[in-house]
Amino acid sequence: MATPSKTPPGADPKQLERTGTVREIGSQAVWSLSSCKPGFGVDQLRDDNLETYWQSDGSQPHLVNIQFRRRTTVKMLCIYADYKSDESYTPSKISVRVGNNFHNLQEVRQLEMVEPSGWIHISLLNQRTNDPISTFMIQIAVLANHQNGRDTHMRQIKVYTPVEESTIGKFPRCTTVDFMMYRTIR
């Protein structure tokens, strides 16, 4: 029997943001977890620190729920996993579900990971039209861990929407660090 090859890491999501084609929208959502150890919850999952993590505390599947206030276009999820640091806590099988609420979630992706180390990019494009999905809710379910581990660690999750082209006129994308600082009016 052939040994499955390791899951290759994807690019750092911050590099994708710098291209000006996607924008991280996780801060616009309400996040909840099926369980967590004290001090290892949503704040650690979203703190931009690869040394911190969410640790579940219960039976599988372990769930991350991401709910938006309005229907939101989502192009991609990025999950950071590190098998060398987390060993049996590292997810090996993940399901991504989308829908309007908890009662009508539909699985859109299922992913098997072998000793991942780095960013895992999960495309959320409609397979028929190749357009980004539009949803109120995303659920990430950890179905299995490496070495049959019980609880799971996830170090970071990022949610990306495509950046729409200007309808006023075609302007060059401003992707330098100096321009990126002023790209949003607050």
Side-chain angles (χ1 to χ4, degrees):
M1 184 166 120
T3 304
S5 60
K6 291 184 178 179
T7 303
D12 182 342
K14 292 199 185 294
Q15 290 175 336
L16 298 173
E17 283 187 79
R18 284 186 206 112
T19 66
T21 58
V22 294
R23 181 172 51 93
E24 210 282 330
I25 56 170
S27 62
Q28 297 174 15
V30 175
W31 292 67
S32 62
L33 305 168
S34 57
S35 67
C36 68
K37 296 262 189 202
F40 295 91
V42 171
D43 291 342
Q44 289 70 34
L45 192 57
R46 297 284 303 152
D47 67 2
D48 283 325
N49 182 349
L50 299 179
E51 300 301 314
T52 63
Y53 50 85
W54 160 53
Q55 181 174 331
S56 63
D57 187 22
S59 58
Q60 291 177 346
H62 304 299
L63 306 174
V64 177
N65 301 304
I66 307 164
Q67 295 176 278
F68 296 98
R69 288 178 180 83
R70 63 179 67 95
R71 185 175 291 279
T72 302
T73 302
V74 181
K75 181 176 184 176
M76 174 178 37
L77 289 174
C78 292
I79 298 172
Y80 192 88
D82 188 357
Y83 179 78
K84 288 181 181 145
S85 297
D86 298 327
E87 295 180 344
S88 68
Y89 290 91
T90 309
S92 63
K93 189 174 187 180
I94 291 177
S95 170
V96 178
R97 305 159 183 167
V98 300
N100 292 331
N101 55 52
F102 286 99
H103 304 292
N104 72 349
L105 293 171
Q106 302 268 321
E107 183 176 88
V108 292
R109 296 284 179 276
Q110 192 171 99
L111 185 65
E112 301 242 1
M113 302 181 295
V114 180
E115 297 182 11
S117 182
W119 288 101
I120 294 112
H121 297 239
I122 303 170
S123 172
L124 294 181
L125 299 177
N126 182 307
Q127 297 200 347
R128 284 184 287 117
T129 64
N130 210 32
D131 292 329
I133 62 162
S134 185
T135 188
F136 280 98
M137 181 174 180
I138 301 170
Q139 184 179 76
I140 302 167
V142 177
L143 305 176
N145 289 326
H146 284 78
Q147 303 169 11
N148 294 317
R150 185 178 143 225
D151 288 326
T152 199
H153 285 180
M154 274 199 203
R155 293 185 172 265
Q156 292 292 300
I157 298 176
K158 302 288 182 188
V159 183
Y160 288 95
T161 189
V163 172
E164 300 195 10
E165 293 290 330
S166 170
T167 57
I168 298 170
K170 293 288 182 184
F171 297 104
R173 292 198 185 276
C174 301
T175 58
T176 65
V177 172
D178 292 332
F179 279 115
M180 294 295 277
M181 290 179 355
Y182 300 104
R183 72 179 178 195
T184 305
I185 299 172
R186 293 188 190 238

